Amino acid sequence: MKLAILHELNAERAARRPVILVTDTESGEQRLVKAKDFAKDPLGAELDKQLRMGKSASVEAGGKKLFLNVYAPTAKLVIVGAVHISQALAPLARSLGYDVTVVDPRTAFASPERFPDVPLVAEWPDTALPPLNVDAYTAFVAVTHDPKIDDPALLHAFERNCFYIGALGSRKTHAKRGDRLRAQGAKDNDIARIHAPIGLAIGAVSPSEIAVSIMAEITAVLRLPPKEKEEAA
Amino acid sequence: MLDRDEDILKAAEDWQKAGRGVALATVVETWGSAPRPAGSSLVINDEGTFLGSVSGGCVEGAVVTEAMDVIQSGKPRMLEFGVADEAAWNVGLSCGGTIRVFVEKVG
């Protein structure tokens, strides 16, 4: 591997931008492809699929044996609201490999006794969220049911283009939330990005089951191509 | 899992910049029950120091030896490891899988 490629690969990983290293395993020739360049790449569809799956693989193309080494950033999950559902959601997400942080300014909720082993930030979203570097490899859920906390958090998630944004609440509550967010400058396509009611419709009842439905929905958004994603939702 | 070893490639870059000969070994294909998935890597320097893992310990010794040749020659090489042969001394995977490891020089 040329030092220039290694240097660029490390820079992209440090910046949490996904890249795929394509190696011709016979000649040793290599190139680094950034996600934004997939569309114009001859291997585009293949690269897209491997990145979505987060899996490295060998492929044959144009008579060459190529190895696609996928460098996807570790996905993050930011949970706004240290509520009962979050107590089930945080460990579940961790077991799936996510970096999890729970944010809630209410210290009675955000207590280490309720959230052992999970990073907790007992601050309002405007203070808590900027240092978390919420990005396009972050799933974001707002589950406090309190507009004072959920609304500013959701505005932050829109701004940072999270790959998944979900919020707790019935269709009626969600319609009101849409009105409030629009009044604060959110666009219709931002509002449309919110998964609400949150989670896949699996008839979940308990907090643990709701956590499963949320993680299932996040997984579908992360892994499925756009068409199948719509069918699952 | 989305997790990856974060420091291996950084170490490869640092070693290379410090003037060491460096090789990178990467699992490119697996069959059966392989201990580490495709994309797992091991970085080796010319002192024989290595970081990372391509098999969880089964074949690392052999990979390091091959990596020394690759650092010398600059030519990449493909290694294949199958099940360990108990009757002979050759290395292999006790889990019964097969892996192919691509070894290349850095720089």
Side-chain angles (χ1 to χ4, degrees):
Chain A
M1 186 188 293
K2 291 197 179 81
L3 188 59
I5 290 182
L6 177 60
H7 181 73
E8 199 180 0
L9 174 56
N10 281 336
E12 292 300 302
R13 286 165 62 237
R16 282 177 57 81
R17 282 191 293 264
V19 288
I20 296 184
L21 178 69
V22 181
T23 304
D24 181 327
T25 52
E26 271 159 19
S27 69
E29 268 174 52
Q30 283 173 326
R31 62 197 177 91
L32 199 61
V33 191
K34 299 177 183 176
K36 66 177 174 58
D37 298 327
F38 284 4
K40 57 189 168 200
D41 196 276
L43 289 171
E46 199 71 38
L47 297 175
D48 204 52
K49 180 179 150 219
Q50 295 305 136
L51 178 59
R52 256 189 301 104
M53 304 305 290
K55 267 181 143 174
S56 301
S58 289
V59 296
E60 289 207 27
K64 290 179 175 176
K65 284 186 178 167
L66 302 173
F67 179 61
L68 313 180
N69 204 349
V70 176
Y71 294 90
T74 301
K76 295 197 242 191
L77 172 66
V78 173
I79 305 172
V80 174
V83 299
H84 203 171
I85 291 170
S86 315
Q87 286 178 281
L89 184 58
L92 178 61
R94 282 173 66 119
S95 76
L96 296 173
Y98 287 74
D99 274 348
V100 180
T101 311
V102 174
V103 172
D104 199 321
R106 302 167 300 180
T107 49
F109 285 78
S111 75
E113 290 77 13
R114 287 162 49 82
F115 291 89
D117 312 321
V118 179
L120 276 176
V121 188
E123 300 278 1
W124 288 88
D126 58 345
T127 309
L129 296 179
L132 296 181
N133 292 320
V134 169
D135 62 15
Y137 259 82
T138 303
F140 193 99
V141 302
V143 291
T144 68
H145 254 314
D146 181 341
K148 290 197 299 298
I149 304 169
D150 281 359
D151 289 2
L154 289 168
L155 291 169
H156 186 80
F158 298 152
E159 192 185 307
R160 299 298 183 94
N161 194 30
C162 295
F163 77 86
Y164 173 91
I165 302 174
L168 201 63
S170 65
R171 287 194 168 75
K172 207 172 145 191
T173 325
H174 183 56
K176 286 187 198 155
R177 170 167 39 225
D179 295 341
R180 287 196 310 272
L181 290 171
R182 252 178 241 109
Q184 292 174 76
K187 302 201 169 51
D188 284 343
N189 57 357
D190 290 331
I191 314 284
R193 292 203 54 209
I194 304 176
H195 292 264
I198 197 168
L200 293 186
I202 57 170
V205 176
S206 67
S208 297
E209 289 174 356
I210 294 168
V212 168
S213 82
I214 294 171
M215 281 322 296
E217 189 170 56
I218 292 173
T219 307
V221 172
L222 181 69
R223 300 293 188 208
L224 292 179
K227 190 164 170 285
E228 290 169 44
K229 208 179 288 183
E230 276 167 32
E231 284 160 13
Chain B
M1 296 284 279
L2 301 163
D3 311 22
R4 297 195 62 106
D5 294 313
E6 287 298 320
D7 53 355
I8 295 170
L9 294 175
K10 189 74 182 66
E13 189 176 346
D14 292 344
W15 283 344
Q16 220 283 338
K17 284 180 174 165
R20 296 242 73 92
V22 182
L24 181 66
T26 308
V27 178
V28 295
E29 260 181 297
T30 66
W31 296 267
S33 60
R36 300 272 287 144
S40 303
S41 55
L42 180 70
V43 55
I44 306 105
N45 73 20
D46 56 9
E47 287 181 310
T49 306
F50 66 91
L51 289 172
S53 160
V54 291
S55 75
C58 306
V59 302
E60 267 71 6
V63 172
V64 169
T65 307
E66 296 278 348
M68 292 299 170
D69 290 348
V70 170
I71 291 171
Q72 283 290 325
S73 72
K75 281 197 171 144
R77 157 178 321 190
M78 187 72 81
L79 311 175
E80 191 171 312
F81 298 97
V83 66
D85 183 352
E86 284 174 36
W89 51 267
N90 58 326
V91 294
L93 303 169
S94 48
C95 56
T98 303
I99 61 172
R100 200 170 274 170
V101 179
F102 181 70
V103 187
E104 62 188 311
K105 184 177 179 174
V106 174

